[in-house]
């Protein structure tokens, strides 16, 4: 897998080369900054669920992985404009370095290059990636609509994270299966894994936003509270015995001491264990889907990713 991920890096950089050198520079900025490459990893591992032994990934799996990572990157460029974020992947964000207008255009350029690569993988992959970009927008808009809404429902939260996060992880797994020409039931099992993992992944991210250290996050904890994004641990607390007290703390322009108090209140109740339990159930659901598939290095890799996700949140919340 590590040699395959090296190929992803090379193709990612090649895919954003433009005749306009300045655009190449902006579009490469977050690629060279790093990132975990979860989505290309899932695409390649999904293709490997159709292989019986360890072997280099077929070129289509690498290209599929690059296409999903480019969509992810495009969404990060736009997300950082919306959030007025200063940093991303531990470097200055594109918007803070070159301004919003260039960040938006470069984000569009990344989506264009993703679409070109997907088109080369066939109509089904191209249509899937296009639909997924739409789901990302829907999820993000829904979240925006409920900013500072203390009565945001759990159902609305779930719909939003389905669109903004799980849909792309689902697509990564599905594309890995499609380029391997796996049978439909095999592709569906991969999609179920990607979806369950993606929902759990965002829940874990939301817990970490509250409990991780500033050093780990690269920003102060509770950033979502500042943005008015009330996630599952917060919504669960709002619905419980400390709900009224927490509700009074959550206002627009929340200051640092109040934010810290709100985090303490959430952390002292059962909002975080509840969210971790939900994430665990989802990760298990994903693992169950993989039991329908024959043993393979790909299945082992995806299972290991689900285990790692849960271990990381448990140690952060301990
Ligand atoms: C233009 C495609 C497009 C979408 C517009 C802005 C937007 C709508 C959607 C934003 C969606 C978003 C930022 C969701 C959060 C996803 C998430 C969990 C990001 C962090 O992913 P990691 O941890 O990050 O995999 P790295 O940096 O490791 O890749």
């Amino acid at each position: 897998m590590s040699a395959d991920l090296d190929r992803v890096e090379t193709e990612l950089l090649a895919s954003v080369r433009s005749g306009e050198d300045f655009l190449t520079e902006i579009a490469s900025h977050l690629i060279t900054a790093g990132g975990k490459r979860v989505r290309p990893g899932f695409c390649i591992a999904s293709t490997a669920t159709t292989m019986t032994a360890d072997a280099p990934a077929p070129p289509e799996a690498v290209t599929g992985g690059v296409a999903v990572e480019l969509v992810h990157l495009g969404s990060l460029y736009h997300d950082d404009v919306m959030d007025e974020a200063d940093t991303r992947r531990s470097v200055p964000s594109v918007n803070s370095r070159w301004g919003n207008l260039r960040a938006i255009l470069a984000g569009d350029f990344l989506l264009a290059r993703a679409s070109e690569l997907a088109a080369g993988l066939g109509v089904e992959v191209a249509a899937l990636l296009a639909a997924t970009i739409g789901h990302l927008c829907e999820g993000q808009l829904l979240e925006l609509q409920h900013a500072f809404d203390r009565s945001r429902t759990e159902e609305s939260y779930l719909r939003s994270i389905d669109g903004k996060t799980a849909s792309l992880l689902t697509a990564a797994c599905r594309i890995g299966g499609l380029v391997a020409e796996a049978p439909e039931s095999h592709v569906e099992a991969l999609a179920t894994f990607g979806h369950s993992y993606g929902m759990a992944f965002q829940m874990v991210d939301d817990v970490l936003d509250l409990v991780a250290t500033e050093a780990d996050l690269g920003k102060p904890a509770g950033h979502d509270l500042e943005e008015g994004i009330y996630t599952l641990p917060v919504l669960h607390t709002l619905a419980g015995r400390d709900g009224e007290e927490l509700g009074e703390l959550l206002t627009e322009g929340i200051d640092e001491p109040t934010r810290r108090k709100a985090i303490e209140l959430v952390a002292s109740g059962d909002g975080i264990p509840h969210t971790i339990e939900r994430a665990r159930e989802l990760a298990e659901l994903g693992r169950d889907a993989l039991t329908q598939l024959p043993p393979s290095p790909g299945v082992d890799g995806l299972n290991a990713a689900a285990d790692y996700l849960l271990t990381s949140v448990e140690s952060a919340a301990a």
Side-chain angles (χ1 to χ4, degrees):
M1 173 66 93
S2 99
D4 294 334
L5 288 174
D6 289 345
R7 290 161 63 200
V8 167
E9 291 315 297
T10 308
E11 280 201 27
L12 265 174
L13 287 171
S15 73
V16 298
R17 227 168 274 142
S18 156
E20 299 298 330
D21 292 345
F22 182 40
L23 184 53
T24 309
E25 183 187 355
I26 307 178
S28 316
H29 181 67
L30 282 191
I31 299 176
T32 45
K36 298 182 287 296
R37 307 290 189 255
V38 175
R39 294 153 190 83
F42 274 23
C43 183
I44 289 168
S46 293
T47 299
T49 64
T50 65
M51 293 152 59
T52 48
D54 246 333
E60 297 79 12
V62 174
T63 303
V66 171
V68 286
E69 184 69 13
L70 288 173
V71 170
H72 174 52
L73 281 161
S75 78
L76 298 181
Y77 277 41
H78 288 186
D79 191 51
D80 287 344
V81 170
M82 293 174 73
D83 274 5
E84 299 172 17
D86 294 327
T87 57
R88 169 71 74 174
R89 292 180 169 171
S90 307
V91 298
S93 62
V94 174
N95 47 297
S96 74
R97 179 132 179 225
W98 288 288
N100 285 346
L101 302 186
R102 286 162 188 83
I104 292 168
L105 277 171
D108 292 341
F109 178 69
L110 293 167
L111 298 181
R113 288 293 160 98
S115 309
E116 254 185 276
L117 290 179
L121 297 174
V123 172
E124 199 172 356
V125 171
L128 170 61
L129 206 66
T132 305
I133 294 171
H135 296 322
L136 281 158
C137 296
E138 287 163 352
Q140 184 79 349
L141 186 80
L142 191 59
E143 181 174 280
L144 196 62
Q145 291 304 95
H146 287 284
F148 299 102
D149 176 6
R150 292 184 300 251
S151 58
R152 183 187 192 192
T153 62
E154 200 171 295
E155 196 244 323
S156 158
Y157 165 80
L158 293 173
R159 277 215 342 257
S160 172
I161 68 169
D162 192 341
K164 74 171 198 167
T165 304
S167 67
L168 191 54
L169 285 148
T170 310
C173 292
R174 207 182 262 285
I175 290 171
L178 287 173
V179 299
E181 296 180 6
E184 198 181 328
S185 60
H186 191 120
V187 176
E188 287 313 313
L190 289 170
T192 302
F193 175 85
H195 181 260
S196 308
Y197 179 96
M199 296 293 285
F201 185 75
Q202 187 58 59
M203 287 181 191
V204 166
D205 207 53
D206 293 340
V207 168
L208 292 178
D209 184 74
L210 293 164
V211 302
T213 62
E214 185 165 344
D216 283 339
L217 290 170
K219 58 188 177 187
H223 181 253
D224 287 338
L225 296 180
E226 201 181 330
E227 296 290 316
I229 308 304
Y230 303 146
T231 58
L232 189 55
V234 173
L235 296 175
H236 192 75
T237 310
L238 281 169
R241 100 189 117 85
D242 295 324
E244 209 170 315
E245 192 182 345
L246 179 62
E248 280 163 17
L249 302 174
L250 299 181
T251 53
E252 247 178 288
I254 187 171
D255 60 24
E256 175 67 28
T258 313
R259 182 167 61 176
R260 240 182 275 131
K261 220 165 135 193
I263 293 175
E264 274 166 28
L265 199 55
V266 174
S268 66
D270 64 354
I272 289 173
H274 170 78
T275 306
I276 293 176
E277 192 45 39
R278 293 290 300 270
R280 175 193 305 290
E281 285 163 12
L282 283 158
E284 283 305 327
L285 210 71
R287 280 173 139 288
D288 283 352
L290 296 181
T291 60
Q292 299 167 38
L293 306 181
S296 67
V299 167
D300 293 344
L302 294 175
N303 274 325
D307 290 343
Y308 180 77
L309 178 69
L310 291 174
T311 315
S312 66
V313 71
E314 272 157 17
S315 54

